[in-house]
Amino acid sequence: MLSSSASRLSKAYLCGKMAQPNQGAPPLVSLTTSIDSTSAQADGNLRHGLMEFYLNTIASQDLILDGKQMKAMAKGENWDKLYQFLGSKNGPQSPLGNFSKLDCRKKLKKLRKTVNFLSKYLRQFGEIKYIVAEQSLETGSAIQISDSVEIKSGEIDAIFVLENVKGKITVIVVDWKRSLTNKRSLEQYKRQCQVYIRCIQNEPSLVNLSLEQMKSADIHGFLFEIGGDEGTTPDFVKVDIIPADIDAFLEKAAEQYESTEATSGTHCSSWCRWAFADEYCRSITPDALSINFHSDSFWTELEFHSKWINSLTQFTTSIETVLEPGGKNVIHFNGGRELQLKNVNFHKTIPRTSVIRAEGSVKRQTSMLAYMHVKNLKVLHG
């Protein structure tokens, strides 16, 4: 019986090498060029913390979702309690960055939209009967989710149990994501959500239900956006829960669990320790990633136009390029196409035909010009 966490299992399904523990990992301190991206991680952690506080201390008591309640969290005595809670969550493993009252109020603007949107969406399933956030999967014994796999650890971001007038129970499993702009990169998180669903189905006490109640209940999984533009309607993605598909995923993940073989794909990002390391992953190719500047599809398809999409990319320069703070910082491709890099805070002369791996938010402005807000950049060879 394979005993795992939900996170490692979903990684193993996509890439055995990515799923391996930290021991023996290549160093990350000697990148050719790196721009600090910890602020994005801290921002996501803070948003998770704010949602956890709201759901577990307010919404779970009233069994309603109301964005107005969130607005009050950063006022008066409520702020003292919230600040103390966030301080207890802040640490080297999950930094929250700046969680001043002003910063939290800014974050809460988008979170209120998410809560109100979710409230309206859930009404189709009935009245809320139970709410819990950051539900631990550590129940005292591992939760078996297939003939060969059991889960020993993990936390579910949010769970809602609802009941309609006919007594039908519905369980909603939610995984908060800071951004859902890159729909092609979500496979890992969808699979992780499927693990959570299996855990609840096989251990319904996690959501205050009996085995009999769970047998007749419906269950759904969603990825919900809690970041991005504060003025936009929250985005969400529904997770497929076809039993045969989940079984196939768990079987493949178990087979690759101890593998050190790298498999590139749209899941590749700086979250993988080998993406920008000295001993960087060599399996990554431009056509395996969400965005490929060498492909005509990027320069023609509507999906990439006028919308910022975060992605790892890899490309070859067609002429010598000089990157510097305040410079034009244009990468030239064949056919006159150009990529303008923003946020460059380093000096680097890049020879012609150099292979570059970069990560950031990308938007195509025209059929010949695109922009990237760079977070990480490394010259692989050239």
Side-chain angles (χ1 to χ4, degrees):
M1 182 70 66
L2 172 63
S3 186
S4 175
S5 68
S7 175
R8 185 176 173 187
L9 200 63
S10 59
K11 290 177 181 177
Y13 170 75
L14 295 168
C15 174
K17 186 173 183 177
M18 179 174 66
Q20 298 313 306
N22 291 338
Q23 293 89 339
L28 293 174
V29 294
S30 303
L31 304 186
T32 304
T33 307
S34 178
I35 293 176
D36 183 19
S37 59
T38 56
S39 59
Q41 179 185 359
D43 178 77
N45 291 339
L46 178 55
R47 292 172 189 269
H48 272 76
L50 291 169
M51 289 299 289
E52 178 184 355
F53 181 86
Y54 169 67
L55 292 177
N56 280 348
T57 65
I58 301 174
S60 62
Q61 308 304 310
D62 301 332
L63 294 180
I64 60 172
L65 296 174
D66 187 350
K68 293 179 182 178
Q69 294 175 321
M70 297 197 84
K71 189 175 183 179
M73 282 165 43
K75 293 182 178 181
E77 294 181 0
N78 294 338
W79 165 247
D80 296 334
K81 295 177 183 177
L82 175 59
Y83 188 80
Q84 184 177 7
F85 170 80
L86 294 175
S88 70
K89 301 289 290 186
N90 192 30
Q93 298 301 316
S94 56
L96 301 184
N98 176 21
F99 55 95
S100 66
K101 182 184 292 189
L102 179 61
D103 199 58
C104 286
R105 282 180 174 175
K106 290 179 179 178
K107 301 288 189 294
L108 288 169
K109 287 182 180 179
K110 180 57 177 277
L111 299 184
R112 293 203 307 269
K113 284 181 175 289
T114 300
V115 165
N116 288 335
F117 181 89
L118 188 58
S119 177
K120 292 179 181 178
Y121 186 84
L122 293 183
R123 287 173 191 167
Q124 64 184 296
F125 303 109
E127 292 186 2
I128 298 175
K129 299 297 183 181
Y130 183 76
I131 298 175
V132 65
E134 300 301 320
Q135 173 63 56
S136 174
L137 297 178
E138 296 181 23
T139 62
S141 59
I143 303 172
Q144 189 169 342
I145 60 172
S146 75
D147 292 339
S148 58
V149 177
E150 63 182 19
I151 299 300
K152 61 181 180 180
S153 62
E155 288 185 339
I156 306 175
D157 286 348
I159 309 169
F160 305 90
V161 179
L162 302 101
E163 185 176 354
N164 67 14
V165 292
K166 296 181 179 179
K168 183 67 176 180
I169 294 174
T170 302
V171 180
I172 305 293
V173 181
V174 174
D175 193 10
W176 307 123
K177 306 312 301 178
R178 184 170 178 268
S179 172
L180 294 175
T181 59
N182 189 348
K183 297 293 194 296
R184 303 186 185 193
S185 66
L186 301 175
E187 186 72 8
Q188 175 185 334
Y189 308 107
K190 290 178 181 178
R191 296 301 181 181
Q192 198 165 308
C193 191
Q194 289 176 338
V195 172
Y196 298 151
I197 288 170
R198 276 289 173 93
C199 286
I200 291 171
Q201 288 174 323
N202 294 353
E203 189 60 58
S205 62
L206 290 169
V207 293
N208 231 20
L209 295 177
S210 67
L211 279 171
E212 284 302 312
Q213 288 174 310
M214 192 69 242
K215 286 179 182 178
S216 60
D218 288 334
I219 189 164
H220 303 279
F222 296 91
L223 308 180
F224 252 93
E225 184 183 55
I226 55 173
D229 187 344
E230 309 295 354
T232 59
T233 300
D235 198 3
F236 72 98
V237 173
K238 188 168 185 178
V239 176
D240 292 331
I241 56 170
I242 302 170
D245 176 57
I246 299 178
D247 288 335
F249 142 55
L250 294 174
E251 183 178 353
K252 182 179 178 181
E255 290 174 357
Q256 299 186 162
Y257 197 75
E258 299 296 343
S259 172
T260 57
E261 182 178 348
T263 304
S264 64
T266 56
H267 56 273
C268 293
S269 74
S270 58
W271 288 106
C272 174
R273 301 185 305 281
W274 285 271
F276 291 95
D278 287 345
E279 300 175 27
Y280 61 86
C281 178
R282 297 177 183 272
S283 73
I284 297 175
T285 58
D287 57 359
L289 304 172
S290 303
I291 288 178
N292 179 8
F293 296 118
H294 297 297
S295 169
D296 287 339
S297 63
F298 170 77
W299 300 98
T300 58
E301 291 183 6
L302 185 62
E303 175 186 357
F304 304 105
H305 179 60
S306 297
K307 182 178 71 170
W308 292 103
I309 299 177
N310 192 73
S311 176
L312 182 74
T313 65
Q314 188 165 305
F315 49 86
T316 303
T317 59
S318 64
I319 65 173
E320 181 179 284
T321 303
V322 177
L323 301 181
E324 58 185 351
K328 292 184 177 180
N329 301 319
V330 175
I331 302 293
H332 296 269
F333 300 105
N334 294 327
R337 291 165 172 168
E338 298 180 350
L339 171 66
Q340 183 175 334
L341 302 181
K342 297 179 177 293
N343 297 345
V344 173
N345 62 357
F346 52 86
H347 292 267
K348 185 74 178 175
T349 298
I350 301 175
R352 177 180 174 272
T353 68
S354 293
V355 177
I356 297 174
R357 184 172 295 170
E359 184 178 51
S361 295
V362 178
K363 180 174 72 172
R364 191 188 78 233
Q365 188 67 22
T366 70
S367 61
M368 301 296 286
L369 175 64
Y371 299 106
M372 171 186 274
H373 286 284
V374 181
K375 295 178 182 176
N376 295 286
L377 185 145
K378 183 179 181 69
V379 179
L380 303 186
H381 54 82

